[in-house]
Amino acid sequence: MTVSRTDGVDPAPNPHATAEEVAAALEDTKLAQVLYHDWEAETYDEKWSISYDERCIDYAKGRFVAAAGDQPLPYERALELGCGTGFFLLNLMQGGVAKTGSVTDLSPGMVKVALRNAENLGLDVDGRVADAETIPYEDNTFDLVVGHAVLHHIPDVEQSLREVLRVLKPGGRFVFAGEPSTIGNAYARLLGRVTWEATTNITRLPFLRDWRRPQTELDESSRAAALEAVVDLHTFDPSDLEKLASSAGAVEVKASSEEFAAALLGWPVRTFEAAVPQEKLGWNWAKFAFGGWKTLSWVDENILKHVVPRSFFYNVMITGVKPGK
């Protein structure tokens, strides 16, 4: 097992942005990406209930199969674009989708955590701090490129997809999942905002004070939310995303979507979890949250996807192939 860490020229993480830095980031989207994701890196897995066990292995591989269908596995070498803490690629590797991997992110903090997670899991992964619009790998390097909730952060999505196709080998595939749909993002943001306001106001009551996070943590979350509004650049209609991928040069392009009823539960649940002390949420809460999501995901997959237009679902997935094999 080998894990190559960043090579010394990558910038160091900056996990505590000042108010002045946040103000500057409001005018510079890529600075905002770095500050926000460095800020979130060490707590991101906890915030989004990310793990590297059977639960998330099944989830990640399920997203891959939902987007790309059944493919011959494993791919020899895979790249994750905008890796965050490595959730998607590391769980796909554990699920047998790829043998070796590389992770890239604009955030030094996220690359650091992703490499640490890979090392802890014994996975063969290297990492680079990198801009998705100029991927620092040679042409025809990877058999597979993946990403989860990354395209909506990239200013020029089509340029990034051209770069993805450049670093893929002929016949190589990309799979991006977890992208917000335009309609889904509207109701998710509304549900999150209402839940945050309700929770932070109700927990001011004297008999609920022990359910309230310290004000300094709530203030920091509010500043992070201000950056989040800057780093979330796009939402996607599935048909428009297909056209974008085809325009970048991909073939066999197909977009799909998931989570409608599941998103209506998931966004209030995740927002509530971010607003209250973690020690208040025990096993019963986790069982409710995950069980509810699984049940409603089944409803989405087996009932609602047959009657609800794909643009109404929250998560958009896209896959395509580099021509030439």
Side-chain angles (χ1 to χ4, degrees):
M1 187 277 295
T2 59
V3 177
S4 302
R5 294 199 175 276
T6 50
D7 58 11
V9 300
D10 287 335
N14 175 19
H16 299 291
T18 65
E20 291 76 16
E21 288 172 322
V22 172
L26 297 178
E27 305 298 326
D28 183 343
T29 184
K30 291 191 177 180
L31 175 60
Q33 302 286 354
V34 174
L35 293 182
Y36 175 75
H37 290 99
D38 273 6
W39 203 335
E40 296 275 285
E42 293 293 339
T43 58
Y44 197 76
D45 284 349
E46 177 186 2
K47 175 182 177 180
W48 294 103
S49 299
I50 290 171
S51 62
Y52 300 89
D53 53 16
E54 184 177 358
R55 177 177 66 91
C56 281
I57 293 170
D58 288 347
Y59 176 85
K61 191 168 183 180
R63 307 291 66 70
F64 179 87
V65 172
D70 291 326
Q71 300 295 326
L73 301 177
Y75 289 84
E76 189 65 34
R77 187 178 182 190
L79 167 70
E80 182 170 12
L81 204 65
C83 63
T85 58
F87 153 74
F88 202 38
L89 179 59
L90 301 188
N91 280 312
L92 288 175
M93 289 177 69
Q94 291 191 101
V97 172
K99 291 182 180 179
T100 65
S102 300
V103 294
T104 63
D105 201 291
L106 199 59
S107 160
M110 289 295 192
V111 173
K112 175 184 175 182
V113 174
L115 289 174
R116 185 175 69 213
N117 286 337
E119 185 172 32
N120 291 339
L121 294 166
L123 297 175
D124 188 359
V125 174
D126 62 71
R128 300 282 298 275
V129 176
D131 189 324
E133 295 173 6
T134 53
I135 300 173
Y137 290 93
E138 298 295 326
D139 297 0
N140 307 320
T141 297
F142 297 99
D143 304 284
L144 174 69
V145 175
V146 300
H148 190 277
V150 58
L151 295 180
H152 69 285
H153 292 311
I154 300 170
D156 191 336
V157 176
E158 187 172 336
Q159 169 59 22
S160 180
L161 290 174
R162 290 194 194 100
E163 280 288 281
V164 166
L165 292 169
R166 180 184 64 78
V167 301
L168 276 171
K169 296 176 183 177
R173 178 175 294 276
F174 64 80
V175 174
F176 291 96
E179 299 299 336
S181 71
T182 301
I183 294 174
N185 185 69
Y187 62 68
R189 294 288 185 187
L190 175 61
L191 288 169
R193 186 166 61 250
V194 169
T195 304
W196 179 266
E197 291 296 330
T199 304
T200 55
N201 283 318
I202 289 172
T203 52
R204 293 179 187 274
L205 297 172
F207 60 92
L208 291 176
R209 283 287 174 85
D210 59 343
W211 279 83
R212 185 175 178 83
R213 281 186 183 263
Q215 191 61 44
T216 54
E217 292 183 13
L218 293 175
D219 289 343
E220 187 164 342
S221 292
S222 294
R223 290 202 301 274
L227 280 178
E228 188 174 16
V230 179
V231 301
D232 289 348
L233 301 177
H234 309 288
T235 58
F236 301 101
D237 178 273
S239 297
D240 292 340
L241 190 54
E242 286 174 335
K243 293 174 184 175
L244 201 64
S246 296
S247 179
V251 297
E252 300 179 36
V253 172
K254 180 183 177 183
S256 54
S257 60
E258 62 182 2
E259 291 196 20
F260 180 54
L264 296 177
L265 172 69
W267 277 95
V269 163
R270 285 190 287 264
T271 305
F272 179 75
E273 290 172 345
V276 303
Q278 288 300 305
E279 61 269 18
K280 290 292 185 180
L281 304 174
W283 169 247
N284 286 335
W285 171 266
K287 186 165 63 173
F288 154 74
F290 184 58
W293 176 83
K294 282 193 71 173
T295 298
L296 292 177
S297 293
W298 184 93
V299 172
D300 287 335
E301 180 66 20
N302 292 280
I303 300 173
L304 296 183
K305 81 169 188 179
H306 300 294
V307 295
V308 177
R310 65 177 182 170
S311 59
F312 281 72
F313 287 72
Y314 179 77
N315 281 325
V316 180
M317 300 174 286
I318 185 80
T319 189
V321 171
K322 179 174 181 174
K325 189 172 181 179

